Amino acid sequence: MDVNQVLESTLSSDTSTRQNAEQQLSHAAEVDFSQYLTTLAQALANEQAQPHIRTAAGIALKNAFSAREYARLQEVQQRWSQQVDPNVKKSVKELALQTLGSKDSRAGQSAGQFIASIAAIEIPKNEWPELMQALVTNVGEGTTHAKQASLVTIGYICEAEDNDLRASLVAHSNSILTAVVAGARREEPSMEVRLAAITALGDSLEFVRSNFDSEGERNYIMQVVCEATQAEDSRVQAGAYGCLNRIMALYYDKMKFYMEKALFGLTIIGMKNDEEDVAKLAVEFWCTVCEEEIAIEDDNAMAISEGSSELRESLTFARIAAREVTPVLLDLLTQQDEDAGDEDYNISRAAYQCLQLFAQAVSTDLVQIVLGFVEQNIRHTDWRRRDAAISAFGAIMEGPEEKFLDPIVKQALPLLFNAMNDDVVHVKDSAAYALGRVCENVSEAIDPDVALPPLIAVLFRGLGATPKIAGSCCWALMNLADRFAGEPGCQENHLSTHFQESVTTLLAVTERPEGDNQLRMAAYEVLNTFVTNAANDCLPTVAKLSDVILERLENTIPMQQQIVSVEDRITLEEIQTSLTSCLLAIVQRLEGQIKPQADRIMHTLLRTLSTVGAKSSVPDTVFAAVGALANALEEDFVKYMESFVPFLYNALGNQEEPGLCAMAIGLVSDITRSLGEKSQPFCDSFMNYLLNNLRSTALSNQFKPAILQCFGDIAQAIGLHFETYLSVVAQVLQQAAGVTVAPNGTYDLLDYVVSLREGIMDAWGGIILAMKQTKAQLLTPYVESIFLLLNTIAQDHNRSEALLRSAMGVIGDLADTFPQGEYVNYYRAEWLTQLIKETRLNREFTPRTGDTARWAKEQVKRQTANVQGVQMS
């Protein structure tokens, strides 16, 4: 194999040539991995080779240690650890380190990526102790190319996502800092080196906490970064501001001195920088400040609600700086790029985001500053200033108290209505979005008699504008529908007079020939929201709407045969999903009144399921609609089961599509609850699929709580027939109850254990109710394990309201099932009494939870009282 020819072919624009070369490389790696690495490392280190050949060798080396799947990555790493001779490893690593000094910077960076791949394997095992020192020496004594490449290498190592590597890097913090700070100093003549150093410093900040704890070291690091914000090269400036953002996020508590002495002034200067990349990162610094202070306030509020006195101090940087920073942000809002796309992130949008965060962090203190700007510019002849004024007003709609904003919004609404008729589309768009912000956050300020009619009119007119404006109007209309829905089931609400016209207009938008698919989907979402919030006097209109939606969904079914491209398939699936979602909303709102349409609905949904392709997202929504129909029809749904269960069984067994499988598990719960005992003929199959999914290694643990809850729903539905499954399910529940979290466990694991316990409690709740009347004795072998889990829940402060509510239900149901005091000793336990009391008295819990706890308390009283009565007699 001519390695140079093969490497050159991997860069070919011809697909066949490129794939053939890649296959040759893969074959060479499989045949002799050690020789393969040696050959590529020599090609990378060869100063006489063409630059593109060296680049290709570097890419091949990196790919030799890359894999998208974690299991495959482990295999690749083990091949290096176990199959490559130590002498070959040493030689290959030396060649890579040698290449860092190459005058070909691309070769040096490729070597850095390769070194980082090896470091991920060896540093956690202490197998390459000399690496960091070699990189430090390069930065201190090497050529400019060696310095830059070595710093880039440190950056690659520090940005790796491998958890073992990241944990190991803490021990190398001194070496890392020595190198990156040396390269970042203002005395460094090469801007390429400074840029590489600042970038590496940003990547390494997470690992140098011990250095930041030292005031002397921290001062020096901050000095170097602050000086870098004033570098001649704007790239270095931007990197330095990026570093400051990261430092503020990681070390907020240590920033007071630096804010007073340098950061405040530097970031104001940076925000005014002519280079947009620099200015954006300076703006983002204040975004980070606000985010930290918002998080501190939220965390402290939660701590206080939990009775904790361990509060974190907010240094109120945002509040102190608001009067200086806000005018700069408002000025930046006027620097819009009229040609920017929706996804473009420019300085104006960065300033808007920052102003939003300031409003949340500073609250009412910011309003007067912004209102002065709004009043000066909202009627300005320059459209950019009008647009900035409207954007600024919308930005402060979240954060300040709603009562404070109420009169301001009432006064501003006519101005926003007028702005929707502005000649400049950018101003219209900002006005539509600002109205959406008002509807979302300050909806109480919208007077139903004075402001609502013109607001609805202007928003529906906006649906005929550009897709972006129409999308903002859709969002505002959804918030409006939620705001004016009234009490659930009310006879009429403030939307009633507008309902028919709203439905007609939205249906027209969804059928607009030139409309884009995103707008069509947004309009259907608005329609769903209006249907969900419809008062009883609008239900005849909702019923008529079902005919329109069904006809449209039926018309999409033949379109499956007309698909010629991936884009066609995506568009059709989005339309079918939107229509099915609308049908779902209609069924949920009409409830039992949907019965006359049920046959047509089910027939259409079954036809849709039978025609969609594999991996389609449509079945998820269809299953949700079927579940709603089952809830509405209750036992009458049984007539559709024979036709529907093949699709349900297929989804339950489809472990390659976890989302669909999860929907199917939830649907089993819906159907069994609706059918009651009539679901019993299908339960053998349901239980087999559910138990198989529990045992599956292909499905994540997150499925288990829902499956356990499903057991409870099945038990409650079929009652005594559940005896067939009791011993197997009880064993599963007992095993699941033994899952615990170590003190240093992750938040995800803590949440999982809570969810798992919720599922266990829900399962026992359903099983106890199924057996209590005539077969309570079948529960006897499991009572002790139930109380053991309850005791674990009582001792563990990591618990949710839903878990405690389910636990209260189980406590009460067991007491009611065994009224003669068979288990009175458990009910006399102090921990049980305390658990009920804590749940009952928690003011943050919903009334439903409190009522369940009070009921459990009464059942415990009866339990102990009955035993005392028996003893006295």
Side-chain angles (χ1 to χ4, degrees):
M1 178 179 78
D2 182 345
V3 67
N4 289 339
Q5 181 61 52
V6 173
L7 288 171
E8 186 163 18
S9 296
T10 63
L11 304 175
S12 172
S13 59
D14 180 70
T15 303
S16 176
T17 301
R18 187 175 64 254
Q19 289 178 345
N20 183 50
E22 289 168 352
Q23 288 174 0
Q24 289 186 64
L25 288 177
S26 296
H27 177 70
E30 291 298 326
V31 171
D32 190 340
F33 189 53
S34 294
Q35 184 58 46
Y36 176 74
L37 295 178
T38 301
T39 302
L40 290 178
Q42 289 171 344
L44 178 62
N46 185 0
E47 293 291 338
Q48 279 69 51
Q50 293 292 320
H52 67 280
I53 298 294
R54 301 180 73 183
T55 298
I59 293 171
L61 280 168
K62 180 180 71 104
N63 291 342
F65 293 89
S66 304
R68 292 180 181 178
E69 298 176 357
Y70 181 67
R72 174 60 182 159
L73 179 62
Q74 284 187 310
E75 288 179 17
V76 168
Q77 292 179 338
Q78 285 174 0
R79 183 161 62 169
W80 166 267
S81 299
Q82 299 172 8
Q83 297 180 17
V84 178
D85 182 88
N87 291 326
V88 173
K89 289 182 183 178
K90 181 181 178 182
S91 172
V92 166
K93 290 189 291 189
E94 286 175 350
L95 285 168
L97 286 171
Q98 173 188 322
T99 309
L100 294 178
S102 173
K103 293 181 180 179
D104 180 352
S105 60
R106 288 185 300 174
Q109 292 194 14
S110 294
Q113 290 179 314
F114 175 49
I115 289 168
S117 297
I118 302 302
I121 304 170
E122 298 201 338
I123 286 181
K125 301 176 182 178
N126 295 316
E127 291 179 353
W128 199 356
E130 66 274 17
L131 170 62
M132 286 300 177
Q133 187 54 53
L135 297 175
V136 172
T137 300
N138 278 354
V139 175
E141 303 172 6
T143 64
T144 297
H145 288 98
K147 287 181 179 180
Q148 181 190 357
S150 297
L151 288 163
V152 168
T153 302
I154 291 172
Y156 288 147
I157 293 170
C158 291
E159 72 180 5
E161 296 180 358
D162 185 280
N163 290 331
D164 292 337
L165 174 60
R166 297 179 75 82
S168 302
L169 287 176
V170 175
H172 297 276
S173 63
N174 289 334
S175 297
I176 292 171
L177 268 183
T178 299
V180 297
V181 172
R185 292 179 307 161
R186 65 181 176 184
E187 292 81 7
E188 172 56 53
S190 168
M191 287 299 161
E192 297 298 333
V193 171
R194 286 189 82 182
L195 177 61
I198 282 290
T199 303
L201 177 58
D203 291 328
S204 67
L205 284 167
E206 184 180 334
F207 312 114
V208 297
R209 187 168 294 276
S210 62
N211 305 85
F212 253 82
D213 287 339
S214 166
E215 184 179 355
E217 292 185 63
R218 183 171 69 247
N219 287 343
Y220 188 51
I221 295 168
M222 293 301 296
Q223 177 187 336
V224 169
V225 177
C226 289
E227 288 173 350
T229 66
Q230 306 304 300
E232 296 175 5
D233 192 315
S234 63
R235 297 173 303 161
V236 177
Q237 294 176 26
Y241 281 114
C243 262
L244 290 177
N245 292 350
R246 188 87 174 111
I247 288 169
M248 180 57 73
L250 290 169
Y251 304 109
Y252 171 89
D253 299 335
K254 301 182 186 301
M255 288 296 107
K256 185 175 182 180
F257 172 78
Y258 309 103
M259 286 292 283
E260 293 171 352
K261 296 297 182 183
L263 299 184
F264 174 77
L266 285 176
T267 51
I268 293 287
I269 294 170
M271 291 161 69
K272 298 176 180 179
N273 196 297
D274 292 336
E275 287 290 339
E276 187 172 75
D277 287 343
V278 176
K280 283 192 298 186
L281 284 161
V283 169
E284 286 176 19
F285 173 84
W286 286 103
C287 291
T288 304
V289 170
C290 291
E291 287 167 345
E292 282 298 308
E293 294 183 349
I294 293 166
I296 289 170
E297 188 173 339
D298 290 344
D299 291 346
N300 287 348
M302 182 175 291
I304 291 169
S305 70
E306 294 173 352
S308 173
S309 59
E310 295 183 9
L311 304 182
R312 187 179 168 196
E313 181 186 5
S314 173
L315 302 174
T316 64
F317 295 141
R319 191 176 302 279
I320 294 168
R323 290 197 173 275
E324 300 295 332
V325 175
T326 306
V328 181
L329 294 174
L330 293 170
D331 185 62
L332 293 174
L333 283 178
T334 67
Q335 298 181 23
Q336 306 94 324
D337 178 359
E338 57 187 310
D339 299 321
D342 290 347
E343 302 303 319
D344 292 340
Y345 183 66
N346 53 39
I347 188 61
S348 176
R349 289 175 180 173
Y352 179 83
Q353 178 187 12
C354 193
L355 195 60
Q356 280 185 306
L357 290 167
F358 258 98
Q360 295 172 50
V362 178
S363 189
T364 54
D365 291 358
L366 193 76
V367 174
Q368 292 307 320
I369 307 172
V370 173
L371 285 183
F373 177 82
V374 173
E375 290 167 1
Q376 290 174 13
N377 293 283
I378 197 163
R379 296 183 179 88
H380 205 284
T381 54
D382 183 347
W383 73 263
R384 282 187 163 83
R385 290 202 160 270
R386 294 198 304 278
D387 180 70
I390 293 166
S391 296
F393 185 81
I396 61 172
M397 288 299 101
E398 182 182 2
E401 291 184 10
E402 194 167 342
K403 290 180 181 178
F404 183 84
L405 290 174
D406 188 284
I408 298 169
V409 170
K410 281 184 167 68
Q411 187 178 353
L413 279 175
L415 295 173
L416 294 177
F417 296 162
N418 288 337
M420 289 290 289
N421 299 316
D422 199 280
D423 294 334
V424 179
V425 68
H426 298 82
V427 179
K428 287 182 183 179
D429 181 41
S430 294
Y433 193 75
L435 286 171
R437 296 271 294 171
V438 169
C439 294
E440 180 182 41
N441 299 298
V442 203
S443 59
E444 292 297 325
I446 303 170
D447 186 286
D449 299 318
V450 177
L452 182 61
L455 177 56
I456 285 184
V458 79
L459 290 175
F460 274 116
R461 270 203 311 275
L463 293 180
T466 66
K468 188 179 179 186
I469 293 174
S472 296
C473 291
C474 285
W475 174 52
L477 285 164
M478 284 192 286
N479 292 324
L480 264 190
D482 289 333
R483 156 70 175 89
F484 292 104
E487 293 296 319
C490 60
Q491 182 57 32
E492 62 179 350
N493 58 31
H494 292 293
L495 295 174
S496 293
T497 55
H498 309 280
F499 192 83
Q500 178 65 64
E501 184 181 357
S502 299
V503 169
T504 302
T505 305
L506 288 165
L507 287 173
V509 171
T510 60
E511 288 290 278
R512 193 191 297 175
E514 76 283 3
D516 73 351
N517 217 37
Q518 291 299 114
L519 174 58
R520 184 182 296 112
M521 292 169 65
Y524 275 122
E525 283 188 57
V526 179
L527 192 57
N528 296 350
T529 309
F530 268 72
V531 167
T532 300
N533 294 304
N536 290 342
D537 63 346
C538 297
L539 293 187
T541 304
V542 175
K544 291 178 183 176
L545 176 63
S546 66
D547 287 323
V548 177
I549 298 302
L550 276 169
E551 182 179 354
R552 290 186 179 185
L553 183 57
E554 289 163 349
N555 290 340
T556 66
I557 295 173
M559 294 181 186
Q560 291 284 354
Q561 309 305 318
Q562 302 167 22
I563 291 173
V564 295
S565 67
V566 174
E567 289 75 16
D568 287 348
R569 181 175 299 281
I570 291 172
T571 299
L572 178 58
E573 287 191 359
E574 287 175 343
I575 293 172
Q576 288 185 323
T577 298
S578 295
L579 289 166
T580 309
S581 296
C582 193
L583 195 59
L584 166 64
I586 292 169
V587 172
Q588 289 175 327
R589 184 63 191 91
L590 292 178
E591 296 179 315
Q593 297 178 46
I594 197 65
K595 193 170 184 178
Q597 289 276 51
D599 285 355
R600 184 182 177 191
I601 290 172
M602 202 61 199
H603 178 68
T604 305
L605 293 177
L606 289 171
R607 285 182 64 204
T608 303
L609 283 175
S610 64
T611 56
V612 295
K615 307 291 184 182
S616 170
S617 59
V618 176
D620 291 29
T621 316
V622 172
F623 276 20
V626 170
L629 193 63
N631 291 333
L633 300 180
E634 296 181 332
E635 291 185 351
D636 290 341
F637 184 79
V638 73
K639 67 178 181 178
Y640 305 117
M641 284 297 287
E642 290 298 335
S643 301
F644 176 66
V645 287
F647 296 103
L648 182 54
Y649 293 156
N650 183 59
L652 283 170
N654 189 352
Q655 297 181 4
E656 294 181 1
E657 295 185 62
L660 182 61
C661 188
M663 284 293 301
I665 292 167
L667 188 51
V668 170
S669 287
D670 289 339
I671 287 174
T672 52
R673 281 196 300 264
S674 300
L675 295 184
E677 286 201 2
K678 289 187 177 180
S679 64
Q680 196 265 329
F682 309 99
C683 284
D684 278 355
S685 295
F686 287 160
M687 291 298 296
N688 282 333
Y689 279 110
L690 293 172
L691 288 167
N692 283 338
N693 286 341
L694 266 183
R695 289 189 287 263
S696 171
T697 56
L699 296 176
S700 73
N701 285 337
Q702 304 306 320
F703 280 74
K704 292 180 180 178
I707 293 173
L708 301 184
Q709 185 181 44
C710 196
F711 290 153
D713 291 327
I714 292 173
Q716 197 165 346
I718 65 176
L720 297 175
H721 296 292
F722 195 79
E723 180 184 353
T724 306
Y725 318 113
L726 178 58
S727 61
V728 174
V729 171
Q731 184 179 2
V732 168
L733 297 178
Q734 288 172 325
Q735 289 174 347
V739 176
T740 57
V741 189
N744 59 346
T746 64
Y747 286 114
D748 287 344
L749 189 54
L750 289 170
D751 288 342
Y752 166 66
V753 170
V754 171
S755 299
L756 190 67
R757 289 172 180 171
E758 286 175 21
I760 297 168
M761 284 292 120
D762 288 338
W764 279 124
I767 292 168
I768 292 165
L769 290 174
M771 300 294 152
K772 68 183 292 185
Q773 295 301 330
T774 59
K775 294 197 174 183
Q777 74 280 1
L778 294 176
L779 298 172
T780 302
Y782 315 114
V783 171
E784 182 179 359
S785 64
I786 295 173
F787 276 102
L788 280 173
L789 178 56
L790 287 169
N791 187 19
T792 300
I793 293 169
Q795 308 305 321
D796 191 343
H797 294 294
N798 182 45
R799 56 201 189 194
S800 65
E801 179 183 356
L803 172 57
L804 290 173
R805 183 170 59 245
S806 297
M808 295 301 106
V810 168
I811 290 168
D813 287 334
L814 272 177
D816 194 35
T817 302
F818 297 100
Q820 301 307 313
E822 294 93 327
Y823 301 102
V824 70
N825 288 337
Y826 290 118
Y827 286 100
R828 286 175 174 161
E830 178 63 28
W831 62 264
L832 188 75
T833 304
Q834 187 63 27
L835 181 64
I836 295 172
K837 182 179 179 181
E838 289 175 5
T839 307
R840 181 170 55 86
L841 298 180
N842 192 316
R843 294 181 180 180
E844 294 196 357
F845 288 172
T846 60
R848 178 185 168 198
T849 301
D851 291 344
T852 307
R854 278 186 282 277
W855 173 78
K857 181 184 177 185
E858 289 303 314
Q859 294 302 317
V860 172
K861 273 187 180 179
R862 291 178 184 176
Q863 176 86 186
T864 53
N866 286 345
V867 171
Q868 289 172 354
V870 170
Q871 290 174 344
M872 290 176 65
S873 63

